[in-house]
Amino acid sequence: MPYIIQNQGTPHERICDLRYGVNTIGRGLDNSIVVEDDARSLSRHHAEIQVTDKGIFVTDLNSSNGTLVNQIKIAQQKLNHNDLVQFGSVIFRLVDELKSDASSSGSEINAIANPTNASSGLSILMRVSPEKSRVNMQDLLKQNIVSSGSVLMIQESDEAQRTSAKLRVLLEVSQELSSPEAYSALPEKILELLLKIMSVDRAVLLLVDEKTGNLEPKAAKFSNPNATANLDFYSRKIANFVLKQGDAIISDDASGDRRFDSSQSIIQQSIQAAMCAPLKPRDRTIGVLYVDNLSHGHAYHKEDLEFLSSLANQAAIAIENANLYQSMQSEVIRRTKLERFFPAAVSQKIEEGWDLNRIIETEVTALFSDISGFTEMTAPMQPRKVLEFLNEYFKVMVEDIVFPFGGTLEKYIADALLAVWGSPYQRDDDAIMAVNAAIAMQWAMRKLNEDWTEQGRDLQIQIHIGLNTGMVASGNIGSENLIQYTNIGDTMNVASRICTAAQAGDVFISESTKVKIESLHLPLEKLDLIKVKGKEEPLQLYRILWEQIDIRELSSKTRTIFPS
């Protein structure tokens, strides 16, 4: 199958397989290939790569920063082996294995006649594909073993050849366990490999529970297919002994071993012999690998224990890598969620240890924005189309405006959005940035309508915006498992009422916000006192005449740098 490589040749190299059919790429977690991009140059759904019988094609999904193939911006294009595909500022190289193999074969032939590779300038005497050098593990193993010999099912009998075969088997085990498996599926896979290589009656893999410190069985396998699938058969005495001591052991004729003479599992189940090896990727034992024999004692030899210990080392590394991979995936999800609500600079502050759990009182400027006539407009539309439209609209309003102007997204409320300036981080120009963002949103709405008209889409909408400045209590709210950073206070309620009072295409601000932005000298229209729900006294509001403001002046006022 083809694949794409990011950061090739660096410590951060990443290989992403391309499945047959459609592969979506972007920052959103629902993509086939999720790309973490600190520069935020990728859209949530940036592009797709389609693998078909006729070739591999890349299609840009109307992304903000475009898709390039070999430095040329494209809408859709067929890809060839070794093409460089750039999504925003993130670059991948396409590897088509079929074409790669074909070119490799030709290169090997040409290398004999002319050892200099024209494309690389290197003198190549021989070229070997790692995949072609691999062996089938079953070719190294035999189906039956001599009862008096090792339980290792190795074909070779000569000592040197046997040592070589064991190393090759361990190499194949390493290859089998090297892919990032689902953490929960890995114990089963390890035991399946073990039973292919060693003739044992039963095997179990146990891992240490981080909360209790006790060993917990994660998977068990039996040589007898009719055996009861019971995870509780192993000797706890032996398993705990190995966990504590950190050494692999053979209990040869376990029923007579004085170290374990009080073990009920050995006595009740007539365990004749057992081997147990620690799962120890570094200096900490994370579990044990246990096997036993019920038919006769003296079943295991030094060679068996050494091999089991080596296999346990491979298993421990695979488990630790899978655990790390799972943690990385969780971290990507956590950071993506964080970046949905906070600008990148604020997210960075939180990453550095900024405590969002304490409640603070702070002054904010709240911005409510709503789509005028949304219910009537979307009534004849299919729900899926409504959702696609809202995602497109919110992407512009939040990612392209609220975040660059330093605002924090608090929530979406159907077609409305609420953003604040001054929480969780406060600056002197919060109100100014909030008002500039509101003006930019109206200009962006006009541009969106023009684009939709050019695309032949029957979409023409207007928004109304209300802003208010005042004190709030900021902090996390909710249950232990589901929390949200929010701002509580009359300031927020009044901002919502001001938005409701505004008409299509309006930006209304309160008296308190007007005082904060006087240095801008914006064109304003003082309105008659307006009575709003929940307030006894009418409000003095002002309409910003945003159409008289040059949008180009606002582009230089975004917060591109967050103060330390």
Side-chain angles (χ1 to χ4, degrees):
M1 288 297 292
Y3 56 90
I4 53 177
I5 307 176
Q6 180 185 3
N7 301 321
Q8 187 175 14
T10 74
H12 305 291
E13 181 176 295
R14 177 191 180 196
I15 297 176
C16 304
D17 292 325
L18 297 175
R19 65 191 180 194
Y20 190 86
V22 176
N23 303 262
T24 57
I25 299 170
R27 289 190 294 106
L29 297 179
D30 55 343
N31 288 289
S32 309
I33 300 173
V34 179
V35 181
E36 187 177 0
D37 177 26
D38 292 336
R40 301 183 69 84
S41 64
L42 267 80
S43 300
R44 281 195 298 269
H45 300 95
H46 195 101
E48 65 181 30
I49 296 178
Q50 191 168 11
V51 180
T52 71
D53 294 334
K54 296 181 179 180
I56 304 171
F57 300 85
V58 61
T59 304
D60 185 77
L61 300 178
N62 296 318
S63 63
S64 299
N65 296 309
T67 300
L68 290 78
V69 176
N70 298 324
Q71 300 183 334
I72 299 174
K73 193 169 185 178
I74 58 93
Q76 185 181 61
Q77 183 166 317
K78 185 176 182 179
L79 296 177
N80 298 309
H81 176 61
N82 272 335
D83 276 350
L84 293 179
V85 189
Q86 181 172 339
F87 308 106
S89 62
V90 181
I91 300 175
F92 289 86
R93 183 173 74 85
L94 175 73
V95 176
D96 187 344
E97 288 183 327
L98 293 178
K99 295 182 179 179
S100 177
D101 289 344
S103 63
S104 296
S105 300
S107 298
E108 290 170 7
I109 295 171
N110 293 334
I112 298 172
N114 181 9
T116 300
N117 185 301
S119 62
S120 66
L122 300 175
S123 179
I124 300 175
L125 299 179
M126 183 176 292
R127 196 163 164 178
V128 177
S129 167
E131 287 299 318
K132 293 176 181 177
S133 66
R134 290 186 61 177
V135 298
N136 188 335
M137 189 187 300
Q138 292 303 121
D139 294 338
L140 301 172
L141 304 176
K142 55 186 176 182
Q143 298 303 314
N144 299 300
I145 63 168
V146 180
S147 60
S148 60
S150 166
V151 296
L152 281 174
M153 295 188 285
I154 300 292
Q155 293 276 15
E156 308 296 342
S157 57
D158 177 82
E159 184 175 353
Q161 292 178 336
R162 192 171 178 82
T163 299
S164 174
K166 285 188 289 185
L167 290 174
R168 293 167 75 185
V169 168
L170 285 171
L171 178 61
E172 288 305 303
V173 169
S174 176
Q175 295 277 7
E176 288 278 350
L177 300 179
S178 62
S179 61
E181 295 284 338
Y183 184 75
S184 58
L186 199 52
E188 285 275 347
K189 185 171 184 178
I190 291 167
L191 294 187
E192 285 177 4
L193 289 169
L194 188 153
L195 262 66
K196 287 181 181 178
I197 302 167
M198 306 183 79
S199 177
V200 299
D201 287 344
R202 306 182 300 187
V204 62
L205 187 147
L206 305 101
L207 295 177
V208 175
D209 186 293
E210 292 187 358
K211 293 182 179 179
T212 65
N214 298 328
L215 285 171
E216 298 290 340
K218 297 299 180 182
K221 289 288 181 181
F222 307 90
S223 60
N224 181 0
N226 298 319
T228 305
N230 177 17
L231 298 183
D232 201 33
F233 64 83
Y234 65 95
S235 167
R236 285 178 172 78
K237 284 279 185 179
I238 293 176
N240 288 324
F241 180 87
V242 170
L243 175 65
K244 183 177 180 180
Q245 299 297 323
D247 295 324
I249 67 166
I250 293 177
S251 178
D252 203 9
D253 191 1
S255 60
D257 194 325
R258 289 185 176 274
R259 289 175 298 177
F260 313 115
D261 58 8
S262 63
S263 175
Q264 291 300 312
S265 56
I266 293 175
I267 297 170
Q268 292 174 1
Q269 300 187 58
S270 300
I271 298 173
Q272 297 299 313
M275 282 194 302
C276 191
L279 298 169
K280 198 173 181 180
R282 289 188 177 85
D283 56 350
R284 181 175 66 93
T285 303
I286 62 172
V288 299
L289 192 55
Y290 170 97
V291 300
D292 64 18
N293 186 290
L294 301 178
S295 58
H296 60 276
H298 310 292
Y300 306 127
H301 299 272
K302 180 183 178 182
E303 180 186 34
D304 304 324
L305 185 64
E306 289 175 345
F307 189 90
L308 182 69
S309 184
S310 298
L311 193 149
N313 286 336
Q314 298 279 7
I317 292 170
I319 291 170
E320 188 176 61
N321 287 343
N323 195 16
L324 179 61
Y325 182 78
Q326 181 175 272
S327 298
M328 289 173 63
Q329 290 294 94
S330 299
E331 177 65 13
V332 169
I333 293 171
R334 188 187 69 81
R335 289 189 63 181
T336 302
K337 288 181 177 178
L338 198 64
E339 291 174 358
R340 286 178 180 174
F341 295 94
F342 297 107
V346 176
S347 298
Q348 182 178 347
K349 280 285 186 180
I350 297 170
E351 291 289 336
E352 293 170 358
W354 202 2
D355 185 10
L356 292 179
N357 290 318
R358 64 188 182 93
I359 298 175
I360 61 171
E361 291 188 0
T362 184
E363 183 180 79
V364 303
T365 296
L367 180 154
F368 266 93
S369 173
D370 206 356
I371 298 176
S372 304
F374 177 77
T375 304
E376 294 80 2
M377 180 191 73
T378 58
M381 296 173 64
Q382 295 180 350
R384 182 183 181 86
K385 292 295 183 183
V386 174
L387 189 59
E388 289 175 354
F389 152 70
L390 284 177
N391 284 336
E392 184 178 358
Y393 162 75
F394 282 135
K395 186 268 177 190
V396 173
M397 296 300 156
V398 176
E399 293 188 17
D400 298 348
I401 299 176
V402 172
F403 287 169
F405 279 93
T408 294
L409 173 66
E410 180 162 316
K411 66 183 73 172
Y412 298 115
I413 312 168
D415 61 307
L417 70 85
L418 167 60
V420 296
W421 281 254
S423 171
Y425 188 87
Q426 192 173 49
R427 283 186 55 170
D428 293 337
D429 63 350
D430 285 327
I432 292 174
M433 285 293 126
V435 169
N436 283 339
I439 297 168
M441 289 168 75
Q442 290 291 6
W443 279 110
M445 193 66 257
R446 176 170 291 185
K447 179 65 167 57
L448 265 178
N449 283 327
E450 291 173 358
D451 291 345
W452 289 336
T453 298
E454 290 179 5
Q455 296 166 11
R457 297 167 66 181
D458 187 20
L459 277 175
Q460 290 294 300
I461 65 174
Q462 288 186 298
I463 58 175
H464 50 280
I465 303 172
L467 298 99
N468 185 38
T469 303
M471 298 299 295
V472 297
S474 300
N476 277 320
I477 188 173
S479 66
E480 182 179 350
N481 296 322
L482 183 62
I483 61 174
Q484 178 180 333
Y485 192 82
T486 192
N487 301 275
I488 302 294
D490 190 54
T491 298
M492 310 301 291
N493 299 329
V494 171
S496 175
R497 303 304 181 198
I498 295 173
C499 179
T500 302
Q503 302 299 308
D506 282 342
V507 177
F508 281 7
I509 63 172
S510 66
E511 182 73 40
S512 58
T513 302
K514 173 183 174 291
V515 172
K516 293 286 184 179
I517 65 165
E518 286 181 341
S519 62
L520 292 178
H521 304 294
L522 295 178
L524 301 175
E525 177 186 348
K526 186 176 181 179
L527 303 173
D528 295 335
L529 294 177
I530 296 177
K531 179 71 175 175
V532 298
K533 183 178 179 181
K535 302 294 290 184
E536 293 184 3
E537 298 295 327
L539 300 178
Q540 178 61 67
L541 303 180
Y542 299 83
R543 176 187 286 113
I544 296 179
L545 306 178
W546 58 270
E547 292 175 300
Q548 300 178 23
I549 301 170
D550 190 344
I551 185 60
R552 291 172 294 183
E553 294 181 5
L554 298 179
S555 62
S556 63
K557 297 177 181 178
T558 58
R559 289 181 182 167
T560 55
I561 301 176
F562 201 79
S564 58

